[in-house]
Amino acid sequence: MSSVQIQCTRCKNVFRDRAGRLQDGYSRQCPGCEVVLFFAEDSQHPFIKRAMRNARKARKEMREADAARLAAPEQRGARSRSFAGRTRSAERED
């Protein structure tokens, strides 16, 4: 899971939170000074704006990575090392 750095508006302490949580209406308490930070898209504070922008960017990158992983063809026939050299014969004679 991707995380985003957040700088407290009061004590300037930097801490991290998951990008998935950091959405409009989310609130978090600063671990340093225990002030409650409210995250909103229309916030005027530059620290909150930066955190929200970075969280949006991280969520977008995670969605794109998931889409690319799902679109990529699956590796067929993943074999263990002990089985790597063996092949199946076309007909087996008893």
Side-chain angles (χ1 to χ4, degrees):
M1 193 77 182
S2 179
S3 64
V4 177
Q5 284 189 340
I6 304 165
Q7 189 170 3
C8 178
T9 57
R10 187 169 126 192
C11 69
K12 311 300 187 250
N13 186 23
V14 177
F15 58 96
R16 297 182 84 71
D17 203 351
R18 288 189 283 189
R21 288 184 179 176
L22 219 62
Q23 295 182 6
D24 200 20
Y26 178 67
S27 62
R28 165 83 195 256
Q29 196 171 20
C30 172
C33 66
E34 298 182 353
V35 69
V36 177
L37 301 173
F38 294 97
F39 297 93
E41 292 291 334
D42 58 350
S43 176
Q44 296 300 316
H45 204 284
F47 297 159
I48 302 296
K49 280 184 178 180
R50 184 184 321 130
M52 295 293 283
R53 184 174 53 245
N54 291 342
R56 259 193 324 273
K57 185 178 175 183
R59 286 193 303 269
K60 181 180 177 185
E61 289 172 356
M62 288 180 354
R63 281 193 307 269
E64 289 173 354
D66 286 343
R69 186 173 40 90
L70 292 174
E74 293 183 22
Q75 184 180 5
R76 187 172 172 218
R79 299 178 179 152
S80 66
R81 279 196 244 166
S82 61
F83 190 74
R86 300 180 194 166
T87 58
R88 190 175 209 175
S89 60
E91 291 183 27
R92 188 169 182 184
E93 296 179 20
D94 288 323

